[in-house]
Amino acid sequence: MTEATSAAPAFSPRVFSGIQPSGNLTLGNYLGALRRFAKMQDQGIETIYCIVDMHAITVWQDPAKLKQATRELAAAYLACGLDPSRSILFNQSQVPAHAQLAWIFNCVARMGWMKRMTQWKDKAGKNSENASLGLLAYPALMAADILVYHATHVPVGEDQKQHVELTRDIAAKFNNDFDTPFFPSPEPIIEGAATRVMSLRDGTRKMSKSDPSDMSRINLTDDADAIAQKIRKARTDPEPLPSDLEGLKERPEARNLVNIYAALADTTPEAVIAEHGGQPFSAFKPALADLAVAHLSPITSKMSDYLGDVSEIDRVLGDGADRAHAIADPIVAQTRDIIGMVRSR
Ligand code: AMP
Ligand code: TRP
């Protein structure tokens, strides 16, 4: 963590991150996000984690499925070790301060910034005239999520780095436009062997919940047989594992499996190669499958336990929203003061 510069006020360390409730949580979400979120809570920093339902609706969501996916994601956070007495866990729509600050940021951010975002280009595609306005403004809402808590650290996967950088640009422009050091410049935290878990069918594409092929990903709800089968059938080349990391360079599928192994075993790709280098995939894949099952099975079963008591999940989210409100509301009120909005109540 970097020191605050002398001119700026010192912001105490606070972690914020979010995940969209769009169903089908994957091994990528687990290794790139959920597991790291739970670990950060254990480092004695204040941690705030959000289920970003307002981001989810930037593309159409079936209402019943959105509800289900929100509770499933809450269950996944808890099953991965998030302790709601130490972290704040809530869904975004229940804390209006996010939308309130997002509007202000819509007026700070520039159209050109939004149109340059890789995610916008990927998701809007050629038919951008028909994409929702919310999809374009998505990063301004994300900036509001982070800055409405004056968060300083944002653990994310590689794909979200650009959005966190844009958050810094929005904070800097606001501070500059109104000549105040009010907002911190949050840092993306991207670390470990699994910041970008790739598809099991194509080592050049991200493992994603929206991939049409279920064989491309491991879902947090997959049972042991499904996990083992997906790893066994994962696309690879015919060569055995190389004896050093250099040998993985032009082999994206092999590299992905080594990275997944390293992340699950909490070690480095170097150590995995030192142990398994020279092995054919017929030996390495079963070892990886065993490791994945050993890690994910307890999580899957805890998730279904939590989902058996929806009212308890809703209670946890409600309690989190109350605590989030208490931090965010004064920050929005001060933001309004800074920009000259009259406080009439
Ligand atoms: P999303 O599912 O897109 O809302 O992503 C939620 C979090 O999971 C973000 O921090 C992402 O960067 C992370 N994430 C999603 N897919 C992957 C992946 N394949 N590898 C690593 N991290 C991922
Ligand atoms: N855009 C992020 C994703 O798709 C989710 C997100 C929304 C988020 N708000 C955030 C992540 C704030 C970190 C901080 O993964």
Side-chain angles (χ1 to χ4, degrees):
M1 298 191 186
T2 52
E3 302 262 320
T5 59
S6 53
F11 292 97
S12 39
R14 184 178 274 159
V15 169
F16 182 94
S17 198
I19 301 182
Q20 296 191 50
S22 32
N24 272 343
L25 285 167
T26 70
L27 181 67
N29 295 127
Y30 172 66
L31 293 175
L34 288 162
R35 191 177 66 156
R36 292 170 55 220
F37 294 0
K39 280 190 182 165
M40 291 188 93
Q41 150 196 282
D42 300 329
Q43 293 171 1
I45 317 171
E46 193 178 355
T47 41
I48 306 177
Y49 296 122
C50 187
I51 297 171
V52 292
D53 49 6
M54 296 199 297
H55 277 109
I57 63 157
T58 55
V59 296
W60 190 80
Q61 301 289 333
D62 177 88
K65 287 192 184 143
L66 180 61
K67 271 194 184 153
Q68 171 67 15
T70 299
R71 291 180 174 133
E72 239 171 58
L73 179 51
Y77 271 112
L78 297 171
C80 291
L82 198 104
D83 172 357
S85 67
R86 287 189 289 151
S87 293
I88 296 179
L89 177 64
F90 67 105
N91 57 319
Q92 191 184 29
S93 59
Q94 302 310 296
V95 181
H98 291 243
Q100 292 163 348
L101 187 61
W103 179 259
I104 293 171
F105 286 169
N106 281 344
C107 303
V108 172
R110 307 287 97 179
M111 296 271 279
W113 299 1
M114 300 293 161
K115 288 188 178 165
R116 272 198 295 277
M117 293 293 109
T118 312
Q119 182 176 297
W120 158 255
K121 289 188 210 161
D122 286 352
K123 285 200 178 172
K126 291 196 179 69
N127 201 11
S128 63
E129 288 298 308
N130 210 25
S132 74
L133 189 52
L135 191 65
L136 181 64
Y138 181 114
L141 176 59
M142 182 160 157
D145 295 340
I146 297 167
L147 294 171
V148 85
Y149 300 99
H150 277 182
T152 54
H153 295 83
V154 186
V156 280
E158 187 66 43
D159 61 326
Q160 293 299 314
K161 186 174 178 206
Q162 198 183 32
H163 286 159
V164 181
E165 283 165 354
L166 189 85
T167 299
R168 294 162 67 100
D169 292 341
I170 291 177
K173 185 166 190 302
F174 181 96
N175 290 351
N176 187 57
D177 286 354
F178 298 100
D179 195 20
T180 166
F182 186 63
F183 286 114
S185 189
E187 278 183 50
I189 310 286
I190 301 169
E191 54 195 14
T195 53
R196 197 167 160 82
V197 177
M198 308 309 279
S199 157
L200 298 178
R201 306 303 307 163
D202 176 353
T204 63
R205 292 163 60 96
K206 188 181 91 154
M207 181 181 286
S208 162
K209 47 185 146 191
S210 55
D211 194 309
S213 163
D214 193 57
M215 291 302 282
S216 71
R217 63 177 162 264
I218 292 174
N219 303 303
L220 284 192
T221 48
D222 283 345
D223 62 20
D225 287 346
I227 294 173
Q229 196 205 21
K230 286 176 178 180
I231 292 178
R232 210 169 48 241
K233 295 211 164 153
R235 186 174 146 190
T236 42
D237 54 47
E239 303 297 317
L241 281 179
S243 53
D244 56 31
L245 277 189
E246 193 63 18
L248 286 176
K249 252 194 170 154
E250 304 296 324
R251 300 174 62 189
E253 281 86 15
R255 188 170 63 232
N256 187 37
L257 296 187
V258 168
N259 284 345
I260 292 175
Y261 193 107
L264 285 169
D266 230 342
T267 179
T268 59
E270 285 89 337
V272 177
I273 288 294
E275 196 184 333
H276 297 274
Q279 274 183 0
F281 283 106
S282 57
F284 183 64
K285 281 179 170 178
L288 177 58
D290 287 349
L291 186 64
V293 168
H295 261 263
L296 299 180
S297 296
I299 293 175
T300 311
S301 90
K302 276 190 209 154
M303 256 177 88
S304 66
D305 289 350
Y306 282 115
L307 281 169
D309 189 353
V310 167
S311 61
E312 175 58 12
I313 291 185
D314 293 359
R315 191 200 61 73
V316 166
L317 293 177
D319 176 62
D322 289 343
R323 287 151 64 207
H325 258 294
I327 304 173
D329 287 358
I331 293 181
V332 173
Q334 289 173 64
T335 309
R336 293 194 188 115
D337 289 343
I338 290 170
I339 62 184
M341 288 170 164
V342 171
R343 263 197 213 215
S344 59
R345 297 184 277 126

